[in-house]
Amino acid sequence: MADMAAKKPFFEAVKDRRTYYALTHESTIPDSRIHEIVKDAILHTPSAFNSQTTRAVVLLGEEHTKTWDLIIEVYKQQLPEEKFNRANQRFPGFKAAYGTILFYEDSTSVREFQEKFKTYEDKFPGWSEQTNGMHQYVIWTALEAEGLGVNLQHYNPLIDVRLATEYKVPETWNLKAQMVFGKPTSGPANPEKNFKPIDERLKVYGAK
């Protein structure tokens, strides 16, 4: 199964990418391959003006489990009981998976490029969000091409301080998303995706 992402045709991987919630505490690939995928995404995913503002923290095995224990703890402390109970219906599924990737943007790097390119100062925060999304997509697609199931969560900002303290994350890193993954036990949440009419979403001029 290892290195399947390197062999699978690009658009086949793009079309196959879906959200999976039923995950186990297992991986279809070695930890070293997961590290390699995230490393390559960080190095080679584009960013405006080559600003390279995206950061990531990879949590595997027991560190993943601990992370979701911390998230549950924070939510239990900060939410009214009724709201926590609703959120807690989903937490066990995330905790049962194998790994989590925390996606961050480095605000210091963003400000550096705002100062360097004053003409586009107001654009860099938006461009920063775009590049973070591209990193998420590259990694999500690559992990699923390796046989893993993936879902994306957004429990920030309530969890930001607790996770930053636990994993010694710099204060200038702003948490954007939590990507959960593991070996899937069933198919994707929505195997048949509904598409809006392509003519409403795509225009082509000058084609031969």
Side-chain angles (χ1 to χ4, degrees):
M1 186 71 73
D3 294 334
M4 185 187 296
K7 301 173 184 175
K8 193 170 190 177
F10 176 71
F11 268 102
E12 185 179 336
V14 168
K15 292 174 183 177
D16 287 347
R17 186 213 55 79
R18 290 291 185 271
T19 294
Y20 289 79
Y21 290 115
L23 306 172
T24 66
H25 194 71
E26 299 174 275
S27 178
T28 57
I29 53 176
D31 291 350
S32 59
R33 178 63 178 147
I34 297 170
H35 183 188
E36 181 182 27
I37 287 171
V38 178
K39 179 193 70 176
D40 284 348
I42 293 289
L43 288 175
H44 300 294
T45 301
S47 56
F49 289 78
N50 197 31
S51 50
Q52 302 180 50
T53 54
T54 298
R55 308 287 184 264
V57 176
V58 181
L59 305 160
L60 303 174
E62 295 310 309
E63 288 295 332
H64 158 86
T65 302
K66 181 174 73 174
T67 295
W68 285 96
D69 282 336
L70 294 174
I71 292 173
I72 293 168
E73 177 186 314
V74 168
Y75 263 68
K76 188 171 185 179
Q77 291 173 349
Q78 297 198 29
L79 289 185
E81 183 177 1
E82 183 179 347
K83 288 187 176 180
F84 169 74
N85 288 338
R86 285 201 299 270
N88 199 37
Q89 293 175 12
R90 295 169 60 85
F91 288 146
F94 305 139
K95 180 180 174 180
Y98 181 73
T100 297
I101 302 169
L102 307 177
F103 287 89
Y104 291 86
E105 282 296 299
D106 187 351
S107 60
T108 298
S109 294
V110 175
R111 285 196 299 271
E112 175 187 333
F113 277 83
Q114 286 178 298
E115 291 297 321
K116 191 174 181 180
F117 299 99
K118 282 290 188 180
T119 302
Y120 306 107
E121 183 176 7
D122 63 328
K123 302 296 184 184
F124 275 101
W127 289 339
S128 166
E129 298 288 341
Q130 291 170 14
T131 193
N132 202 278
M134 285 192 281
H135 282 77
Q136 294 170 29
Y137 184 75
V138 168
I139 293 170
W140 188 338
T141 305
L143 291 176
E144 288 204 2
E146 297 283 9
L148 288 161
V150 181
N151 63 74
L152 192 67
Q153 303 304 316
H154 301 87
Y155 285 102
N156 42 295
L158 285 182
I159 63 175
D160 293 17
V161 173
R162 187 68 183 87
L163 295 187
T165 301
E166 183 67 28
Y167 295 110
K168 298 179 175 58
V169 174
E171 292 183 3
T172 59
W173 290 19
N174 297 323
L175 184 60
K176 299 298 180 182
Q178 305 86 53
M179 182 173 288
V180 181
F181 59 91
K183 186 176 180 179
T185 60
S186 62
N190 295 294
E192 297 298 326
K193 189 173 182 178
N194 295 321
F195 299 98
K196 292 183 178 181
I198 193 65
D199 291 344
E200 297 177 4
R201 305 170 64 192
L202 173 66
K203 296 182 183 294
V204 179
Y205 298 93
K208 296 181 180 180

